[in-house]
Amino acid sequence: MKKIFITGATSGIGEELARRFHSEGKKVIISGRNEERLGEICSECPGMSYVLLDVSNHREIESVSRFLMADHGDLDTLINNAGIQKKLSFEGAILPSSEQLTAEIQTNFLGCVQLISALLPLLKRQNKAQIINISSGLALVPLASAPLYCASKAALHSFTMSLRHQLRNTSVQVTELLPPLVQTNLHRGQNTPLPHAMPLDQFMDSAMNELKKGDEEILIGPVKSLKRAARFLPKRIFMLMNSRA
Ligand SMILES: NC(=O)c1ccc[n+]([C@@H]2O[C@H](COP(=O)([O-])OP(=O)(O)OC[C@H]3O[C@@H](n4cnc5c(N)ncnc54)[C@H](OP(=O)(O)O)[C@@H]3O)[C@@H](O)[C@H]2O)c1
């Protein structure tokens, strides 16, 4: 890992990944929608640079990818981190708008797929390269109150497995990082208390350690037992999670 490009790096997990890799001496290019915040982070991390990228916008993905190919030919790591989560209800008379129906699929899933596809020619040129997709424990067992978020992460989980298989004879390693509930801005505006959320620092310590081991699928904290439960007691764990929620 020499030069890393991270999406959605203006807060939470993406920002911390950028700071930690930067502090280890890696070259890091961060991206996001909030230029002021991107500039602030870069000013605190000498040598880090940024590019504006809304991952829900295919044209921006294409132009940023062209820029990376032209100006950062040594880019060897892509971290698909940008994500949004919304609570959506199909119960009442007022159904989600068409924008609400597509936002999470576009940002959390299609944006990753489009960026991977645009950057693969560059990544394949490197002797060793890595794609890291940040999915979620909710890819394994859905939380019914956030149905499209969970569907988008399940789609990313499935796509990551297929991509890994297809790229098995190339120089590109495909990694999936599945966080548990972590204290970040992801749930802002949802009015949901998060007493069980893992502190961000604790999550980052585990994630950085696990990433160094080189495993293809990285389950952090409670996601390990969630995966076992999803396999052996799928209905029970679904009911347990959703009755608590
Ligand atoms: N926190 C958790 O409990 C948890 C659990 C499992 C998985 N995850 C995953 O971890 C990843 C990071 O989330 P987080 O917890 O760090 O939440 P966060 O603090 O809200 O960070 C999300 C980042 O994504 C950016 N973003 C959102 N939509 C974007 C778009 N269209 N284009 C570019 N950037 C966009 C946000 O920037 P703006 O300020 O511009 O919106 C922000 O920088 C997400 O993929 C999330 O699903 C989080």
CSV table of all heavy atoms in Angstrom, one decimal, residues 164-221:
chain,number,residue,atom,x,y,z
A,164,ARG,N,-13.8,-10.5,-6.1
A,164,ARG,CA,-12.6,-11.1,-5.5
A,164,ARG,C,-12.3,-12.4,-6.4
A,164,ARG,O,-11.2,-12.6,-6.7
A,164,ARG,CB,-12.8,-11.5,-4.1
A,164,ARG,CG,-11.6,-12.1,-3.4
A,164,ARG,CD,-12.0,-12.5,-2.0
A,164,ARG,NE,-12.3,-11.3,-1.2
A,164,ARG,CZ,-13.4,-11.2,-0.4
A,164,ARG,NH1,-14.2,-12.2,-0.3
A,164,ARG,NH2,-13.6,-10.2,0.3
A,165,HIS,N,-13.4,-13.1,-6.6
A,165,HIS,CA,-13.2,-14.4,-7.4
A,165,HIS,C,-12.7,-14.0,-8.8
A,165,HIS,O,-11.7,-14.6,-9.3
A,165,HIS,CB,-14.5,-15.1,-7.5
A,165,HIS,CG,-14.3,-16.5,-8.1
A,165,HIS,ND1,-13.7,-17.5,-7.5
A,165,HIS,CD2,-14.7,-16.9,-9.4
A,165,HIS,CE1,-13.7,-18.6,-8.3
A,165,HIS,NE2,-14.3,-18.2,-9.4
A,166,GLN,N,-13.3,-13.0,-9.5
A,166,GLN,CA,-12.9,-12.7,-10.8
A,166,GLN,C,-11.5,-12.2,-10.9
A,166,GLN,O,-10.8,-12.3,-11.9
A,166,GLN,CB,-13.9,-11.6,-11.4
A,166,GLN,CG,-15.3,-12.2,-11.7
A,166,GLN,CD,-16.0,-11.3,-12.7
A,166,GLN,OE1,-15.5,-10.4,-13.3
A,166,GLN,NE2,-17.3,-11.5,-12.7
A,167,LEU,N,-11.0,-11.5,-9.8
A,167,LEU,CA,-9.7,-10.9,-9.9
A,167,LEU,C,-8.6,-11.7,-9.2
A,167,LEU,O,-7.5,-11.3,-9.0
A,167,LEU,CB,-9.7,-9.5,-9.2
A,167,LEU,CG,-10.6,-8.4,-9.8
A,167,LEU,CD1,-10.5,-7.1,-9.1
A,167,LEU,CD2,-10.4,-8.2,-11.3
A,168,ARG,N,-9.0,-13.0,-9.0
A,168,ARG,CA,-8.1,-13.8,-8.2
A,168,ARG,C,-6.7,-14.1,-8.9
A,168,ARG,O,-5.7,-14.3,-8.2
A,168,ARG,CB,-8.7,-15.2,-7.8
A,168,ARG,CG,-9.0,-16.1,-9.0
A,168,ARG,CD,-9.9,-17.2,-8.6
A,168,ARG,NE,-10.2,-18.1,-9.7
A,168,ARG,CZ,-11.0,-17.9,-10.8
A,168,ARG,NH1,-11.6,-16.7,-10.9
A,168,ARG,NH2,-11.2,-18.7,-11.7
A,169,ASN,N,-6.7,-14.0,-10.2
A,169,ASN,CA,-5.4,-14.2,-10.9
A,169,ASN,C,-4.8,-12.9,-11.3
A,169,ASN,O,-4.0,-12.8,-12.3
A,169,ASN,CB,-5.6,-15.1,-12.1
A,169,ASN,CG,-6.0,-16.5,-11.7
A,169,ASN,OD1,-5.6,-17.0,-10.7
A,169,ASN,ND2,-6.9,-17.1,-12.4
A,170,THR,N,-5.2,-11.8,-10.7
A,170,THR,CA,-4.6,-10.5,-11.0
A,170,THR,C,-3.8,-10.0,-9.8
A,170,THR,O,-3.8,-10.7,-8.7
A,170,THR,CB,-5.7,-9.4,-11.3
A,170,THR,OG1,-6.3,-9.0,-10.1
A,170,THR,CG2,-6.7,-9.9,-12.3
A,171,SER,N,-3.2,-8.8,-9.9
A,171,SER,CA,-2.4,-8.3,-8.8
A,171,SER,C,-3.4,-7.5,-7.8
A,171,SER,O,-2.9,-7.0,-6.8
A,171,SER,CB,-1.4,-7.3,-9.3
A,171,SER,OG,-2.1,-6.2,-10.0
A,172,VAL,N,-4.7,-7.5,-8.0
A,172,VAL,CA,-5.6,-6.7,-7.2
A,172,VAL,C,-6.2,-7.6,-6.1
A,172,VAL,O,-7.0,-8.5,-6.5
A,172,VAL,CB,-6.7,-6.0,-8.0
A,172,VAL,CG1,-7.5,-5.1,-7.2
A,172,VAL,CG2,-6.0,-5.3,-9.2
A,173,GLN,N,-6.0,-7.3,-4.9
A,173,GLN,CA,-6.6,-8.0,-3.8
A,173,GLN,C,-7.9,-7.3,-3.4
A,173,GLN,O,-7.9,-6.0,-3.4
A,173,GLN,CB,-5.7,-8.0,-2.5
A,173,GLN,CG,-6.3,-8.8,-1.4
A,173,GLN,CD,-5.5,-8.7,-0.1
A,173,GLN,OE1,-4.3,-8.4,-0.1
A,173,GLN,NE2,-6.1,-9.0,1.0
A,174,VAL,N,-9.0,-8.0,-3.2
A,174,VAL,CA,-10.3,-7.4,-2.8
A,174,VAL,C,-10.6,-7.7,-1.4
A,174,VAL,O,-10.8,-8.9,-1.0
A,174,VAL,CB,-11.4,-7.9,-3.8
A,174,VAL,CG1,-12.7,-7.2,-3.5
A,174,VAL,CG2,-11.0,-7.6,-5.2
A,175,THR,N,-10.7,-6.7,-0.6
A,175,THR,CA,-11.0,-6.8,0.9
A,175,THR,C,-12.3,-6.2,1.2
A,175,THR,O,-12.7,-5.2,0.7
A,175,THR,CB,-9.9,-6.1,1.6
A,175,THR,OG1,-8.6,-6.5,1.2
A,175,THR,CG2,-10.0,-6.3,3.1
A,176,GLU,N,-13.0,-6.9,2.1
A,176,GLU,CA,-14.3,-6.3,2.7
A,176,GLU,C,-14.1,-6.1,4.2
A,176,GLU,O,-13.7,-7.0,4.9
A,176,GLU,CB,-15.4,-7.3,2.4
A,176,GLU,CG,-16.8,-6.7,2.9
A,176,GLU,CD,-17.9,-7.7,2.6
A,176,GLU,OE1,-17.7,-8.8,2.1
A,176,GLU,OE2,-19.1,-7.3,3.0
A,177,LEU,N,-14.4,-4.9,4.6
A,177,LEU,CA,-14.4,-4.6,6.0
A,177,LEU,C,-15.8,-4.4,6.5
A,177,LEU,O,-16.5,-3.6,6.0
A,177,LEU,CB,-13.5,-3.3,6.2
A,177,LEU,CG,-13.4,-2.7,7.6
A,177,LEU,CD1,-12.8,-3.7,8.6
A,177,LEU,CD2,-12.6,-1.4,7.6
A,178,LEU,N,-16.2,-5.2,7.5
A,178,LEU,CA,-17.6,-5.2,8.0
A,178,LEU,C,-17.6,-4.6,9.4
A,178,LEU,O,-17.3,-5.3,10.4
A,178,LEU,CB,-18.2,-6.6,8.0
A,178,LEU,CG,-18.4,-7.3,6.7
A,178,LEU,CD1,-17.2,-8.1,6.2
A,178,LEU,CD2,-19.6,-8.2,6.7
A,179,PRO,N,-17.9,-3.3,9.5
A,179,PRO,CA,-17.9,-2.7,10.9
A,179,PRO,C,-19.2,-3.1,11.6
A,179,PRO,O,-20.2,-3.3,11.0
A,179,PRO,CB,-17.9,-1.2,10.6
A,179,PRO,CG,-17.6,-1.0,9.2
A,179,PRO,CD,-18.0,-2.3,8.5
A,180,PRO,N,-19.1,-3.1,12.9
A,180,PRO,CA,-20.3,-3.2,13.7
A,180,PRO,C,-20.9,-1.7,13.9
A,180,PRO,O,-20.5,-0.8,13.1
A,180,PRO,CB,-19.8,-3.6,15.1
A,180,PRO,CG,-18.5,-3.0,15.2
A,180,PRO,CD,-17.9,-2.9,13.8
A,181,LEU,N,-21.8,-1.5,14.8
A,181,LEU,CA,-22.3,-0.2,15.1
A,181,LEU,C,-21.2,0.6,15.7
A,181,LEU,O,-20.6,0.2,16.7
A,181,LEU,CB,-23.5,-0.3,16.0
A,181,LEU,CG,-24.3,1.0,16.4
A,181,LEU,CD1,-24.9,1.6,15.1
A,181,LEU,CD2,-25.4,0.6,17.4
A,182,VAL,N,-20.8,1.8,15.0
A,182,VAL,CA,-19.7,2.6,15.5
A,182,VAL,C,-20.2,4.0,15.7
A,182,VAL,O,-21.1,4.5,15.0
A,182,VAL,CB,-18.6,2.6,14.4
A,182,VAL,CG1,-17.4,3.4,14.9
A,182,VAL,CG2,-18.1,1.2,14.1
A,183,GLN,N,-19.6,4.7,16.7
A,183,GLN,CA,-20.0,6.1,17.0
A,183,GLN,C,-19.5,7.0,15.9
A,183,GLN,O,-18.3,7.4,16.0
A,183,GLN,CB,-19.6,6.5,18.4
A,183,GLN,CG,-20.4,5.9,19.5
A,183,GLN,CD,-19.7,6.0,20.8
A,183,GLN,OE1,-18.7,6.7,21.0
A,183,GLN,NE2,-20.3,5.4,21.8
A,184,THR,N,-20.3,7.4,14.9
A,184,THR,CA,-19.9,8.3,13.9
A,184,THR,C,-21.2,9.2,13.6
A,184,THR,O,-22.2,9.1,14.3
A,184,THR,CB,-19.5,7.6,12.6
A,184,THR,OG1,-20.7,6.9,12.1
A,184,THR,CG2,-18.4,6.6,12.8
A,185,ASN,N,-21.1,9.9,12.5
A,185,ASN,CA,-22.2,10.8,12.1
A,185,ASN,C,-23.3,10.0,11.3
A,185,ASN,O,-24.2,10.6,10.8
A,185,ASN,CB,-21.7,11.9,11.2
A,185,ASN,CG,-21.0,13.0,12.0
A,185,ASN,OD1,-21.2,13.1,13.2
A,185,ASN,ND2,-20.1,13.7,11.4
A,186,LEU,N,-23.0,8.7,11.0
A,186,LEU,CA,-23.9,8.0,10.1
A,186,LEU,C,-25.4,8.0,10.5
A,186,LEU,O,-26.2,8.0,9.6
A,186,LEU,CB,-23.4,6.5,10.0
A,186,LEU,CG,-24.1,5.7,8.9
A,186,LEU,CD1,-23.6,6.1,7.5
A,186,LEU,CD2,-23.8,4.2,9.1
A,187,HIS,N,-25.6,8.0,11.8
A,187,HIS,CA,-27.0,7.9,12.2
A,187,HIS,C,-27.6,9.3,12.6
A,187,HIS,O,-28.6,9.4,13.3
A,187,HIS,CB,-27.1,6.9,13.4
A,187,HIS,CG,-26.3,5.7,13.2
A,187,HIS,ND1,-25.0,5.5,13.6
A,187,HIS,CD2,-26.7,4.6,12.5
A,187,HIS,CE1,-24.6,4.3,13.2
A,187,HIS,NE2,-25.6,3.7,12.6
A,188,ARG,N,-26.9,10.4,12.2
A,188,ARG,CA,-27.3,11.7,12.6
A,188,ARG,C,-28.7,11.9,12.0
A,188,ARG,O,-29.0,11.5,10.9
A,188,ARG,CB,-26.3,12.8,12.1
A,188,ARG,CG,-26.4,13.0,10.6
A,188,ARG,CD,-25.2,13.8,10.1
A,188,ARG,NE,-24.9,13.3,8.8
A,188,ARG,CZ,-23.8,13.6,8.1
A,188,ARG,NH1,-22.9,14.3,8.6
A,188,ARG,NH2,-23.7,13.1,6.9
A,189,GLY,N,-29.5,12.6,12.7
A,189,GLY,CA,-30.9,13.0,12.2
A,189,GLY,C,-31.9,11.8,12.4
A,189,GLY,O,-33.0,11.9,12.1
A,190,GLN,N,-31.4,10.7,12.9
A,190,GLN,CA,-32.3,9.5,13.0
A,190,GLN,C,-33.0,9.4,14.4
A,190,GLN,O,-33.8,8.6,14.7
A,190,GLN,CB,-31.6,8.2,12.8
A,190,GLN,CG,-31.2,8.0,11.4
A,190,GLN,CD,-30.5,6.7,11.1
A,190,GLN,OE1,-30.5,5.8,12.0
A,190,GLN,NE2,-30.0,6.4,9.9
A,191,ASN,N,-32.4,10.3,15.3
A,191,ASN,CA,-33.0,10.3,16.7
A,191,ASN,C,-32.9,9.0,17.3
A,191,ASN,O,-33.9,8.6,18.0
A,191,ASN,CB,-34.5,10.8,16.6
A,191,ASN,CG,-34.8,11.6,17.8
A,191,ASN,OD1,-33.9,11.9,18.6
A,191,ASN,ND2,-36.1,12.0,18.0
A,192,THR,N,-31.9,8.2,17.1
A,192,THR,CA,-31.7,6.9,17.6
A,192,THR,C,-30.6,6.9,18.7
A,192,THR,O,-29.5,7.2,18.4
A,192,THR,CB,-31.3,5.9,16.5
A,192,THR,OG1,-32.0,6.2,15.4
A,192,THR,CG2,-31.4,4.5,16.9
A,193,PRO,N,-30.9,6.5,19.9
A,193,PRO,CA,-29.8,6.4,20.9
A,193,PRO,C,-28.9,5.2,20.5
A,193,PRO,O,-29.4,4.2,20.0
A,193,PRO,CB,-30.6,6.1,22.2
A,193,PRO,CG,-31.9,5.8,21.8
A,193,PRO,CD,-32.2,6.1,20.4
A,194,LEU,N,-27.6,5.4,20.7
A,194,LEU,CA,-26.7,4.3,20.3
A,194,LEU,C,-25.8,3.9,21.4
A,194,LEU,O,-24.6,4.0,21.4
A,194,LEU,CB,-25.7,4.9,19.2
A,194,LEU,CG,-26.4,5.4,17.9
A,194,LEU,CD1,-25.4,6.1,17.0
A,194,LEU,CD2,-27.1,4.3,17.1
A,195,PRO,N,-26.5,3.3,22.5
A,195,PRO,CA,-25.7,2.9,23.7
A,195,PRO,C,-24.7,1.8,23.4
A,195,PRO,O,-23.7,1.7,24.1
A,195,PRO,CB,-26.8,2.5,24.7
A,195,PRO,CG,-28.0,2.1,23.8
A,195,PRO,CD,-27.9,2.9,22.6
A,196,HIS,N,-25.0,1.0,22.4
A,196,HIS,CA,-24.1,-0.2,22.2
A,196,HIS,C,-23.0,0.1,21.1
A,196,HIS,O,-22.3,-0.8,20.7
A,196,HIS,CB,-24.9,-1.4,21.7
A,196,HIS,CG,-26.0,-1.7,22.6
A,196,HIS,ND1,-25.8,-2.1,23.9
A,196,HIS,CD2,-27.4,-1.7,22.5
A,196,HIS,CE1,-27.0,-2.3,24.5
A,196,HIS,NE2,-27.9,-2.1,23.6
A,197,ALA,N,-23.0,1.4,20.6
A,197,ALA,CA,-22.1,1.7,19.5
A,197,ALA,C,-20.6,1.6,20.0
A,197,ALA,O,-20.3,2.1,21.1
A,197,ALA,CB,-22.4,3.0,18.9
A,198,MET,N,-19.7,1.1,19.2
A,198,MET,CA,-18.3,1.0,19.5
A,198,MET,C,-17.7,2.4,19.3
A,198,MET,O,-18.0,3.1,18.3
A,198,MET,CB,-17.6,0.0,18.6
A,198,MET,CG,-16.2,-0.3,18.9
A,198,MET,SD,-15.5,-1.5,17.7
A,198,MET,CE,-16.0,-3.0,18.4
A,199,PRO,N,-16.9,2.9,20.3
A,199,PRO,CA,-16.2,4.1,20.1
A,199,PRO,C,-15.3,4.1,18.8
A,199,PRO,O,-14.7,3.0,18.6
A,199,PRO,CB,-15.4,4.3,21.4
A,199,PRO,CG,-16.0,3.4,22.4
A,199,PRO,CD,-16.6,2.2,21.6
A,200,LEU,N,-15.3,5.2,18.1
A,200,LEU,CA,-14.6,5.2,16.8
A,200,LEU,C,-13.1,4.8,17.0
A,200,LEU,O,-12.6,4.0,16.2
A,200,LEU,CB,-14.7,6.6,16.2
A,200,LEU,CG,-14.0,6.8,14.9
A,200,LEU,CD1,-14.6,5.8,13.8
A,200,LEU,CD2,-14.3,8.3,14.4
A,201,ASP,N,-12.4,5.3,18.1
A,201,ASP,CA,-11.0,5.0,18.2
A,201,ASP,C,-10.8,3.5,18.4
A,201,ASP,O,-9.8,2.9,17.9
A,201,ASP,CB,-10.5,5.7,19.5
A,201,ASP,CG,-9.8,7.0,19.1
A,201,ASP,OD1,-9.7,7.2,17.9
A,201,ASP,OD2,-9.4,7.7,20.0
A,202,GLN,N,-11.7,2.9,19.2
A,202,GLN,CA,-11.6,1.4,19.4
A,202,GLN,C,-11.8,0.6,18.1
A,202,GLN,O,-11.0,-0.3,17.8
A,202,GLN,CB,-12.6,1.0,20.5
A,202,GLN,CG,-12.5,-0.4,20.9
A,202,GLN,CD,-13.7,-0.9,21.8
A,202,GLN,OE1,-14.3,0.0,22.5
A,202,GLN,NE2,-14.0,-2.1,21.8
A,203,PHE,N,-12.8,1.1,17.3
A,203,PHE,CA,-13.0,0.4,16.0
A,203,PHE,C,-11.8,0.6,15.1
A,203,PHE,O,-11.3,-0.4,14.5
A,203,PHE,CB,-14.2,1.1,15.3
A,203,PHE,CG,-14.3,0.7,13.9
A,203,PHE,CD1,-14.8,-0.6,13.5
A,203,PHE,CD2,-13.9,1.5,12.9
A,203,PHE,CE1,-14.8,-1.0,12.2
A,203,PHE,CE2,-14.0,1.2,11.6
A,203,PHE,CZ,-14.4,-0.1,11.2
A,204,MET,N,-11.2,1.8,15.1
A,204,MET,CA,-10.1,2.0,14.2
A,204,MET,C,-8.9,1.2,14.6
A,204,MET,O,-8.1,0.7,13.8
A,204,MET,CB,-9.7,3.5,14.3
A,204,MET,CG,-10.7,4.4,13.6
A,204,MET,SD,-11.1,4.0,11.9
A,204,MET,CE,-9.4,3.9,11.2
A,205,ASP,N,-8.6,1.1,16.0
A,205,ASP,CA,-7.5,0.2,16.4
A,205,ASP,C,-7.6,-1.2,15.8
A,205,ASP,O,-6.7,-1.8,15.3
A,205,ASP,CB,-7.4,0.2,17.9
A,205,ASP,CG,-7.0,1.5,18.5
A,205,ASP,OD1,-6.5,2.4,17.8
A,205,ASP,OD2,-7.2,1.7,19.8
A,206,SER,N,-8.8,-1.8,16.0
A,206,SER,CA,-9.1,-3.1,15.5
A,206,SER,C,-9.0,-3.2,14.0
A,206,SER,O,-8.3,-4.1,13.4
A,206,SER,CB,-10.5,-3.6,15.8
A,206,SER,OG,-10.7,-3.6,17.2
A,207,ALA,N,-9.6,-2.2,13.3
A,207,ALA,CA,-9.6,-2.3,11.8
A,207,ALA,C,-8.2,-2.1,11.3
A,207,ALA,O,-7.8,-2.9,10.4
A,207,ALA,CB,-10.5,-1.1,11.3
A,208,MET,N,-7.4,-1.3,11.8
A,208,MET,CA,-6.0,-1.1,11.3
A,208,MET,C,-5.2,-2.4,11.5
A,208,MET,O,-4.5,-2.8,10.7
A,208,MET,CB,-5.3,0.1,11.9
A,208,MET,CG,-5.9,1.5,11.6
A,208,MET,SD,-6.0,1.9,9.8
A,208,MET,CE,-4.2,2.2,9.5
A,209,ASN,N,-5.4,-3.0,12.7
A,209,ASN,CA,-4.7,-4.2,13.0
A,209,ASN,C,-5.1,-5.3,12.0
A,209,ASN,O,-4.2,-6.0,11.5
A,209,ASN,CB,-5.0,-4.7,14.4
A,209,ASN,CG,-4.1,-4.2,15.4
A,209,ASN,OD1,-3.0,-3.8,15.1
A,209,ASN,ND2,-4.6,-4.2,16.7
A,210,GLU,N,-6.4,-5.4,11.8
A,210,GLU,CA,-6.9,-6.5,11.0
A,210,GLU,C,-6.5,-6.3,9.5
A,210,GLU,O,-6.1,-7.2,8.8
A,210,GLU,CB,-8.4,-6.6,11.1
A,210,GLU,CG,-8.9,-7.0,12.5
A,210,GLU,CD,-8.4,-8.4,12.8
A,210,GLU,OE1,-8.4,-9.3,12.0
A,210,GLU,OE2,-8.1,-8.7,14.0
A,211,LEU,N,-6.5,-5.0,9.1
A,211,LEU,CA,-6.1,-4.7,7.7
A,211,LEU,C,-4.7,-5.2,7.4
A,211,LEU,O,-4.3,-5.6,6.3
A,211,LEU,CB,-6.3,-3.2,7.4
A,211,LEU,CG,-7.7,-2.8,7.1
A,211,LEU,CD1,-7.9,-1.3,7.1
A,211,LEU,CD2,-8.2,-3.3,5.7
A,212,LYS,N,-3.8,-5.0,8.4
A,212,LYS,CA,-2.4,-5.4,8.3
A,212,LYS,C,-2.2,-6.9,8.1
A,212,LYS,O,-1.3,-7.3,7.5
A,212,LYS,CB,-1.6,-4.9,9.5
A,212,LYS,CG,-1.4,-3.4,9.4
A,212,LYS,CD,-0.4,-2.9,10.4
A,212,LYS,CE,-0.2,-1.4,10.3
A,212,LYS,NZ,-1.1,-0.7,11.1
A,213,LYS,N,-3.2,-7.7,8.7
A,213,LYS,CA,-3.0,-9.1,8.6
A,213,LYS,C,-3.3,-9.6,7.1
A,213,LYS,O,-2.9,-10.7,6.8
A,213,LYS,CB,-4.0,-9.8,9.5
A,213,LYS,CG,-3.7,-9.6,11.0
A,213,LYS,CD,-4.7,-10.4,11.8
A,213,LYS,CE,-4.5,-10.0,13.3
A,213,LYS,NZ,-5.7,-10.4,14.1
A,214,GLY,N,-4.0,-8.8,6.4
A,214,GLY,CA,-4.2,-9.1,4.9
A,214,GLY,C,-5.4,-10.1,4.7
A,214,GLY,O,-5.5,-10.6,3.6
A,215,ASP,N,-6.3,-10.3,5.6
A,215,ASP,CA,-7.4,-11.2,5.4
A,215,ASP,C,-8.4,-10.5,4.3
A,215,ASP,O,-8.4,-9.3,4.2
A,215,ASP,CB,-8.2,-11.4,6.7
A,215,ASP,CG,-7.5,-12.3,7.6
A,215,ASP,OD1,-6.5,-12.9,7.2
A,215,ASP,OD2,-7.9,-12.4,8.8
A,216,GLU,N,-9.1,-11.4,3.6
A,216,GLU,CA,-10.0,-10.8,2.6
A,216,GLU,C,-11.3,-10.3,3.2
A,216,GLU,O,-11.9,-9.4,2.6
A,216,GLU,CB,-10.3,-11.9,1.6
A,216,GLU,CG,-9.1,-12.3,0.8
A,216,GLU,CD,-9.4,-13.5,-0.1
A,216,GLU,OE1,-10.2,-14.3,0.2
A,216,GLU,OE2,-8.7,-13.6,-1.1
A,217,GLU,N,-11.8,-10.9,4.3
A,217,GLU,CA,-13.0,-10.5,4.9
A,217,GLU,C,-12.7,-10.2,6.3
A,217,GLU,O,-12.3,-11.1,7.1
A,217,GLU,CB,-14.1,-11.6,4.8
A,217,GLU,CG,-15.5,-11.1,5.1
A,217,GLU,CD,-16.5,-12.2,5.0
A,217,GLU,OE1,-16.7,-13.0,5.9
A,217,GLU,OE2,-17.1,-12.3,3.9
A,218,ILE,N,-12.9,-8.9,6.7
A,218,ILE,CA,-12.6,-8.5,8.1
A,218,ILE,C,-13.8,-8.1,8.9
A,218,ILE,O,-14.5,-7.2,8.5
A,218,ILE,CB,-11.6,-7.3,8.0
A,218,ILE,CG1,-10.3,-7.7,7.2
A,218,ILE,CG2,-11.3,-6.8,9.4
A,218,ILE,CD1,-9.4,-6.5,6.9
A,219,LEU,N,-14.1,-9.0,9.9
A,219,LEU,CA,-15.2,-8.8,10.7
A,219,LEU,C,-14.8,-8.1,12.0
A,219,LEU,O,-13.9,-8.7,12.7
A,219,LEU,CB,-15.9,-10.1,11.0
A,219,LEU,CG,-16.1,-11.1,9.8
A,219,LEU,CD1,-16.4,-12.5,10.3
A,219,LEU,CD2,-17.3,-10.6,9.0
A,220,ILE,N,-15.3,-7.0,12.4
A,220,ILE,CA,-14.9,-6.3,13.6
A,220,ILE,C,-15.9,-6.6,14.8
A,220,ILE,O,-17.1,-6.4,14.6
A,220,ILE,CB,-14.7,-4.8,13.4
A,220,ILE,CG1,-13.7,-4.6,12.2
A,220,ILE,CG2,-14.2,-4.1,14.6
A,220,ILE,CD1,-12.3,-4.9,12.4
A,221,GLY,N,-15.3,-6.9,16.0
A,221,GLY,CA,-16.1,-7.0,17.2
A,221,GLY,C,-17.3,-7.9,17.0
A,221,GLY,O,-17.2,-9.0,16.6
